[in-house]
Amino acid sequence: KETDNEMTSLNIDEIAGPAGGNAWKPEVGDVAKGEITYLAKQAPKQSYDKKKMERSVRIDLTEGDETVNVYITTNTDIDNGGYPKRDAQAVAAAVRAAGATELQVGGYLAIQRIDDVPTDFQPAKDYVAEYRAPKPGLGVGSLIGDGAAPAAPAPSVLSLIGD
C-alpha cells in the first residue's frame, strides 16, 4: 500500500515534465496552435487572489520548431467544487465538436483568446478552440509501408482560426 511519503513508482512527468517552450500569455486575438506533444495535470496552486486552490492542465503545442505551453484552469476551487475557466471550457467544447471524448497527445489544437467579457469583478478572458484527434493508423506498418496508398489528408477543422 502506498502512503503520502512512500511509493512503489512515480511517473517521470510527476517528477519534472519536459522543458517545453514559453508559457502562452495571450492578448485578445492571439492564437496558439500545433500538435499536442505533452499533456499533464499540474499540482494545485493558489489562485491569483490567494483565496483558493486551483487545478490546471499543461498542454504543449508544437508547430515546426516552436513549442508553446498552454495552461488551462480546469477547476477554480478544488476544495469547494469550483468550475472550469473559459479556456478549459473552450478546449472541452472543441474536443466534443471533433467527436472525441479525450484530448490526446498527437492531436492538433488551436486556441484563440477572442474577447474580454465584462463581469461584476473583472473582465473574464474568453476563448474559442478547435481540435483534431490524432490520425488513426499511424502504427509501425504505416511508417515502414504496407503497400497501401497513403490516405488523402483530412480537410482542416481549423477553419475558424486558420490552419
Side-chain angles (χ1 to χ4, degrees), residues 38-158:
Y38 177 78
L39 281 171
K41 288 181 184 177
Q42 301 297 287
K45 66 175 185 161
Q46 279 191 328
S47 61
Y48 67 91
D49 61 5
K50 303 197 184 310
K51 293 182 179 178
K52 49 195 176 220
M53 296 298 287
E54 293 183 331
R55 166 88 59 198
S56 64
V57 170
R58 174 180 157 187
I59 306 168
D60 287 6
L61 302 176
T62 301
E63 185 89 336
D65 292 336
E66 194 167 317
T67 297
V68 64
N69 308 124
V70 176
Y71 293 86
I72 59 172
T73 303
T74 58
N75 191 325
T76 58
D77 189 351
I78 60 176
D79 297 323
N80 295 303
Y83 59 89
K85 285 190 176 179
R86 291 171 185 251
D87 52 2
Q89 291 175 19
V91 170
V95 171
R96 287 184 189 102
T101 58
E102 295 180 337
L103 188 64
Q104 294 182 311
V105 169
Y108 192 91
L109 178 69
I111 182 168
Q112 180 179 30
R113 182 169 163 201
I114 57 170
D115 203 1
D116 287 333
V117 179
T119 68
D120 291 339
F121 181 61
Q122 66 181 11
K125 298 172 184 171
D126 205 9
Y127 296 85
V128 65
E130 293 201 32
Y131 174 70
R132 182 175 57 228
K135 292 182 177 153
L138 288 183
V140 173
S142 63
L143 294 176
I144 59 175
D146 57 7
S156 172
V157 297
L158 301 172

